[in-house]
Amino acid sequence: MAVGTGSGIVFSRQSAEDLWRSNAGGGWATAVALLLVLLWHCRRRLRLFSCFLFRSTSPSTSSSSSSSASPQIGGFSENAWEDDLRFLIRNLNESHCGEERWEDVVQKRNSLVSYSAKCCKPKDGPLKYLSVTVFEDCSPELARDFYMDNFYRQQWDRTVIEHVQLQLDTNNGTEIGRTIKKFPLLTAREYVLAWRLWEDSDGAFYCFTKECQHPSAPPQRKYVRVKYFRSGWRIRKIPGRNASEIRICYQEDAGLNVEMAKLVFAKGIWSYVCKMDSALRKYSLRRLQHGSSVSAVTFIQKVPRELQMSSRANSSSVAAAPSVRVETITEKKKLLRMPSKKALANGCLLLGGIICLTRGHSKLGAKVAIGYVLTKLSKRGASSSQRLQN
């Protein structure tokens, strides 16, 4: 058995060699074809391997390019930041308010702070919020430092569980940071954001924040990375009062249902503002004891002159227009809701009468039900006719 098996192997080897010699050209073609098929199946691994080699062999060049190309920190040029500031000023001044349908969300106040917010749904993008907060007995500088102190925010804001400063450009004041926020019953959200501050000649402060990418903060599977974030504010002194106004325009897509996000915002924002006001009152003492860290506030920029002129021209002319439009929209909604409720009640009454008749109760119960339906319909018809005459 062993010999027979060995002779069979020898015979097969000899036949294979004879076949290769007789078809030398075809054999090489088959080998090349098999090699191509193997490379095709291994292309993904080869691609990953080349990417790994590229990253591992060039860390110094990437770090040097990020440090030397400071005007484009985070991938944003100076022109992009100027366009962002122009966009922010237009939104804060509500220059295009007539193009959007706004509705009130909340309006609260106490002796130390007042807060109002409204929202609209743009044609493309998430919900847009516009809020106005007024802090009494607060200077614009104190409010600015308080808003920008992300490390102090971890002490009073329970949603912020981690914040890291990733990069700060000392030439143009652009700062990049990574923040982790945890909300009840939701996966923690990860924010990698870039922001910059400006100051105009009137003493007002502007800040614009947007999402970005950074090599020190790769996405992690345990967090949900917020891919769209636009937020900006203006802090200025209210004339004739020791108070500061913070006007904020805010858009975020955190992967939540629109109606649910609106409901959560409306129910929880006022308690959040009160907590913020309490932390603000303690912040002045903390700033005296610990000082302020080096951040974008340290390297604040000046608002370009042309943007400041446009801001002055628009802020005085369109300040009161949005509230009128919001009220009209609210009144229209109330007018549209009332007839629908009445129509629903009438329909239920008619449906009840039809059920009584179809069930075969043609005696006393059916007569009582039909009489009740007719009485209700006659009363509603009389009341509606009186409203029309009035």
Side-chain angles (χ1 to χ4, degrees), residues 69-110:
S70 58
Q72 295 193 11
I73 178 174
F76 305 115
S77 63
E78 289 297 317
N79 292 332
W81 281 111
E82 187 170 332
D83 292 339
D84 292 332
L85 179 58
R86 183 180 293 105
F87 172 79
L88 173 62
I89 292 175
R90 286 189 60 197
N91 279 274
L92 294 177
N93 291 334
E94 304 178 61
S95 302
H96 52 279
C97 182
E99 303 173 2
E100 299 171 332
R101 295 175 60 87
W102 293 84
E103 60 176 302
D104 281 323
V105 178
V106 64
Q107 188 169 1
K108 301 281 187 176
R109 65 180 304 114
N110 58 30

Side-chain angles (χ1 to χ4, degrees), residues 118-239:
K118 57 186 179 180
C119 71
C120 74
K121 184 64 177 74
K123 295 180 180 179
D124 50 348
L127 281 174
K128 181 191 294 185
Y129 289 90
L130 183 63
S131 67
V132 179
T133 311
V134 177
F135 292 106
E136 302 292 338
D137 299 326
C138 177
S139 65
E141 290 78 12
L142 178 63
R144 176 202 64 193
D145 295 345
F146 170 75
Y147 263 75
M148 297 309 300
D149 197 333
N150 292 296
F151 298 101
Y152 179 61
R153 185 178 293 270
Q154 296 179 71
Q155 300 181 17
W156 64 268
D157 190 349
R158 293 182 180 180
T159 62
V160 179
I161 60 177
E162 182 184 346
H163 176 76
V164 179
Q165 184 189 67
L166 299 176
Q167 197 169 352
L168 175 63
D169 193 324
T170 58
N171 295 322
N172 53 35
T174 303
E175 185 176 357
I176 296 180
R178 174 179 173 267
T179 303
I180 306 298
K181 288 188 177 183
K182 184 68 176 73
F183 302 98
L185 306 177
L186 295 175
T187 306
R189 262 53 180 173
E190 182 186 30
Y191 299 80
V192 179
L193 306 173
W195 57 88
R196 185 186 290 192
L197 279 80
W198 297 267
E199 180 181 6
D200 65 12
S201 59
D202 297 329
F205 302 104
Y206 294 85
C207 176
F208 189 80
T209 306
K210 56 187 175 181
E211 81 285 347
C212 70
Q213 302 291 331
H214 196 274
S216 300
Q220 302 184 35
R221 298 183 64 179
K222 59 181 178 179
Y223 302 128
V224 176
R225 173 69 65 89
V226 176
K227 297 181 179 180
Y228 185 90
F229 187 93
R230 296 287 189 277
S231 178
W233 50 252
R234 177 183 63 207
I235 300 177
R236 62 182 179 183
K237 179 179 173 59
I238 298 179

Side-chain angles (χ1 to χ4, degrees), residues 310-382:
S310 63
S311 175
R312 289 176 180 175
N314 294 328
S315 60
S316 60
S317 60
V318 297
S323 60
V324 177
R325 183 169 180 79
V326 171
E327 292 174 0
T328 56
I329 293 174
T330 307
E331 291 174 359
K332 286 181 179 179
K333 285 187 174 181
K334 290 181 179 179
L335 291 175
L336 289 174
R337 286 173 184 170
M338 293 303 293
S340 62
K341 291 182 179 179
K342 293 179 180 179
L344 182 60
N346 291 335
C348 291
L349 290 173
L350 288 173
L351 181 61
I354 293 171
I355 291 174
C356 289
L357 293 176
T358 55
R359 296 288 293 177
H361 302 288
S362 58
K363 296 184 180 180
L364 181 60
K367 292 179 181 179
V368 171
I370 294 172
Y372 180 74
V373 171
L374 294 176
T375 303
K376 286 293 182 181
L377 291 178
S378 62
K379 286 182 179 180
R380 294 178 184 274

Side-chain angles (χ1 to χ4, degrees), residues 10 12 34 37 39 67 105 112 139 156 190 212 252 301 322 349 358 360 362 364 386:
V10 172
S12 61
L34 291 174
V37 171
L39 291 176
S67 60
V105 178
L112 294 177
S139 65
W156 64 268
E190 182 186 30
C212 70
E252 176 186 352
Q301 304 294 300
L349 290 173
T358 55
S362 58
L364 181 60
Q386 286 179 1

